[in-house]
mmCIF file of all heavy atoms in Angstrom:
data_model
loop_
_atom_site.group_PDB
_atom_site.id
_atom_site.type_symbol
_atom_site.label_atom_id
_atom_site.label_comp_id
_atom_site.label_asym_id
_atom_site.label_seq_id
_atom_site.Cartn_x
_atom_site.Cartn_y
_atom_site.Cartn_z
ATOM 1 N N LEU A 31 -14.554 -9.465 41.520
ATOM 2 C CA LEU A 31 -15.400 -9.474 40.328
ATOM 3 C C LEU A 31 -15.125 -8.255 39.447
ATOM 4 O O LEU A 31 -15.090 -8.356 38.217
ATOM 5 C CB LEU A 31 -16.873 -9.515 40.732
ATOM 6 C CG LEU A 31 -17.391 -10.848 41.276
ATOM 7 C CD1 LEU A 31 -18.824 -10.706 41.767
ATOM 8 C CD2 LEU A 31 -17.305 -11.937 40.208
ATOM 9 N N ALA A 46 -10.569 -6.954 19.439
ATOM 10 C CA ALA A 46 -11.626 -6.532 18.520
ATOM 11 C C ALA A 46 -11.558 -5.080 18.078
ATOM 12 O O ALA A 46 -12.382 -4.664 17.256
ATOM 13 C CB ALA A 46 -12.987 -6.790 19.162
ATOM 14 N N PHE A 49 -8.516 -0.132 15.890
ATOM 15 C CA PHE A 49 -7.439 0.833 16.078
ATOM 16 C C PHE A 49 -6.137 0.177 16.547
ATOM 17 O O PHE A 49 -5.139 0.864 16.753
ATOM 18 C CB PHE A 49 -7.855 1.901 17.097
ATOM 19 C CG PHE A 49 -9.117 2.629 16.718
ATOM 20 C CD1 PHE A 49 -10.157 2.757 17.632
ATOM 21 C CD2 PHE A 49 -9.270 3.179 15.462
ATOM 22 C CE1 PHE A 49 -11.318 3.429 17.293
ATOM 23 C CE2 PHE A 49 -10.434 3.857 15.107
ATOM 24 C CZ PHE A 49 -11.458 3.979 16.024
ATOM 25 N N LEU A 55 -8.722 -8.940 14.883
ATOM 26 C CA LEU A 55 -9.563 -8.269 13.896
ATOM 27 C C LEU A 55 -8.739 -7.808 12.698
ATOM 28 O O LEU A 55 -9.175 -7.924 11.542
ATOM 29 C CB LEU A 55 -10.272 -7.077 14.541
ATOM 30 C CG LEU A 55 -11.262 -6.335 13.640
ATOM 31 C CD1 LEU A 55 -12.398 -7.256 13.215
ATOM 32 C CD2 LEU A 55 -11.811 -5.100 14.335
ATOM 33 N N LYS A 86 -31.899 -7.560 11.155
ATOM 34 C CA LYS A 86 -33.155 -7.035 11.700
ATOM 35 C C LYS A 86 -33.359 -5.567 11.364
ATOM 36 O O LYS A 86 -34.500 -5.105 11.243
ATOM 37 C CB LYS A 86 -33.188 -7.231 13.219
ATOM 38 C CG LYS A 86 -33.486 -8.650 13.665
ATOM 39 C CD LYS A 86 -33.725 -8.700 15.166
ATOM 40 C CE LYS A 86 -34.229 -10.046 15.616
ATOM 41 N NZ LYS A 86 -34.563 -10.065 17.063
ATOM 42 N N GLY A 96 -15.681 -0.243 8.231
ATOM 43 C CA GLY A 96 -14.359 0.262 8.587
ATOM 44 C C GLY A 96 -13.793 1.219 7.572
ATOM 45 O O GLY A 96 -13.228 2.267 7.922
ATOM 46 N N ILE A 102 -14.125 9.176 6.595
ATOM 47 C CA ILE A 102 -14.625 10.390 7.250
ATOM 48 C C ILE A 102 -13.670 10.890 8.341
ATOM 49 O O ILE A 102 -13.978 11.846 9.047
ATOM 50 C CB ILE A 102 -16.031 10.179 7.846
ATOM 51 C CG1 ILE A 102 -16.010 9.150 8.981
ATOM 52 C CG2 ILE A 102 -17.024 9.803 6.765
ATOM 53 C CD1 ILE A 102 -17.324 9.041 9.747
ATOM 54 N N ALA A 106 -8.568 6.748 14.527
ATOM 55 C CA ALA A 106 -7.918 6.467 15.813
ATOM 56 C C ALA A 106 -8.958 6.560 16.912
ATOM 57 O O ALA A 106 -10.055 7.097 16.720
ATOM 58 C CB ALA A 106 -6.783 7.454 16.071
ATOM 59 N N SER A 121 -16.306 5.248 0.794
ATOM 60 C CA SER A 121 -17.464 5.388 1.679
ATOM 61 C C SER A 121 -18.583 4.484 1.177
ATOM 62 O O SER A 121 -19.635 4.931 0.744
ATOM 63 C CB SER A 121 -17.931 6.842 1.726
ATOM 64 O OG SER A 121 -16.991 7.656 2.340
ATOM 65 N N PRO A 128 -21.263 -9.650 2.351
ATOM 66 C CA PRO A 128 -20.154 -9.901 1.421
ATOM 67 C C PRO A 128 -19.213 -11.008 1.874
ATOM 68 O O PRO A 128 -17.999 -10.913 1.727
ATOM 69 C CB PRO A 128 -19.439 -8.551 1.421
ATOM 70 C CG PRO A 128 -19.641 -8.030 2.804
ATOM 71 C CD PRO A 128 -21.027 -8.468 3.204
ATOM 72 N N PHE A 147 -16.429 -3.079 14.623
ATOM 73 C CA PHE A 147 -17.487 -3.450 15.559
ATOM 74 C C PHE A 147 -17.864 -2.306 16.494
ATOM 75 O O PHE A 147 -18.403 -2.541 17.584
ATOM 76 C CB PHE A 147 -17.060 -4.675 16.368
ATOM 77 C CG PHE A 147 -17.009 -5.935 15.555
ATOM 78 C CD1 PHE A 147 -15.804 -6.563 15.285
ATOM 79 C CD2 PHE A 147 -18.177 -6.497 15.056
ATOM 80 C CE1 PHE A 147 -15.752 -7.733 14.534
ATOM 81 C CE2 PHE A 147 -18.151 -7.663 14.304
ATOM 82 C CZ PHE A 147 -16.926 -8.285 14.036
ATOM 83 N N LEU A 164 -24.516 -12.957 36.590
ATOM 84 C CA LEU A 164 -25.676 -13.788 36.904
ATOM 85 C C LEU A 164 -25.238 -15.203 37.279
ATOM 86 O O LEU A 164 -25.771 -15.807 38.218
ATOM 87 C CB LEU A 164 -26.638 -13.824 35.715
ATOM 88 C CG LEU A 164 -27.430 -12.540 35.465
ATOM 89 C CD1 LEU A 164 -28.183 -12.629 34.140
ATOM 90 C CD2 LEU A 164 -28.408 -12.258 36.607
ATOM 91 N N THR A 195 -23.734 19.659 29.194
ATOM 92 C CA THR A 195 -22.709 18.699 29.596
ATOM 93 C C THR A 195 -22.760 18.419 31.094
ATOM 94 O O THR A 195 -22.896 19.327 31.911
ATOM 95 C CB THR A 195 -21.307 19.238 29.226
ATOM 96 O OG1 THR A 195 -21.282 19.509 27.828
ATOM 97 C CG2 THR A 195 -20.234 18.230 29.570
ATOM 98 N N MET A 200 -32.897 12.721 31.916
ATOM 99 C CA MET A 200 -33.964 11.938 32.542
ATOM 100 C C MET A 200 -33.352 10.899 33.460
ATOM 101 O O MET A 200 -32.216 10.462 33.256
ATOM 102 C CB MET A 200 -34.818 11.218 31.493
ATOM 103 C CG MET A 200 -35.632 12.092 30.587
ATOM 104 S SD MET A 200 -36.577 11.074 29.402
ATOM 105 C CE MET A 200 -37.441 12.367 28.498
ATOM 106 N N LEU A 207 -32.823 -5.189 32.717
ATOM 107 C CA LEU A 207 -32.837 -4.771 31.317
ATOM 108 C C LEU A 207 -31.531 -4.061 30.955
ATOM 109 O O LEU A 207 -30.639 -3.897 31.788
ATOM 110 C CB LEU A 207 -34.034 -3.850 31.048
ATOM 111 C CG LEU A 207 -35.406 -4.505 31.079
ATOM 112 C CD1 LEU A 207 -36.500 -3.441 31.066
ATOM 113 C CD2 LEU A 207 -35.586 -5.460 29.900
ATOM 114 N N ILE A 258 -30.499 -0.397 18.189
ATOM 115 C CA ILE A 258 -31.725 0.383 18.020
ATOM 116 C C ILE A 258 -31.453 1.875 18.182
ATOM 117 O O ILE A 258 -31.967 2.711 17.423
ATOM 118 C CB ILE A 258 -32.792 -0.086 19.019
ATOM 119 C CG1 ILE A 258 -33.205 -1.529 18.694
ATOM 120 C CG2 ILE A 258 -34.008 0.834 19.016
ATOM 121 C CD1 ILE A 258 -33.921 -2.235 19.829
ATOM 122 N N ILE A 284 -36.185 6.875 23.835
ATOM 123 C CA ILE A 284 -36.250 8.301 24.139
ATOM 124 C C ILE A 284 -35.395 8.999 23.088
ATOM 125 O O ILE A 284 -34.183 8.769 23.019
ATOM 126 C CB ILE A 284 -35.720 8.622 25.555
ATOM 127 C CG1 ILE A 284 -36.570 7.908 26.616
ATOM 128 C CG2 ILE A 284 -35.731 10.122 25.801
ATOM 129 C CD1 ILE A 284 -35.987 6.580 27.077
ATOM 130 N N VAL A 294 -40.849 10.165 23.711
ATOM 131 C CA VAL A 294 -40.723 8.908 24.446
ATOM 132 C C VAL A 294 -41.742 7.941 23.866
ATOM 133 O O VAL A 294 -42.918 8.286 23.711
ATOM 134 C CB VAL A 294 -40.977 9.102 25.954
ATOM 135 C CG1 VAL A 294 -40.858 7.773 26.688
ATOM 136 C CG2 VAL A 294 -40.011 10.126 26.532
#
Side-chain angles (χ1 to χ4, degrees):
L31 287 174
F49 303 129
L55 184 62
K86 283 189 171 184
I102 65 172
S121 293
F147 290 112
L164 287 171
T195 303
M200 294 180 179
L207 290 169
I258 295 163
I284 299 96
V294 179

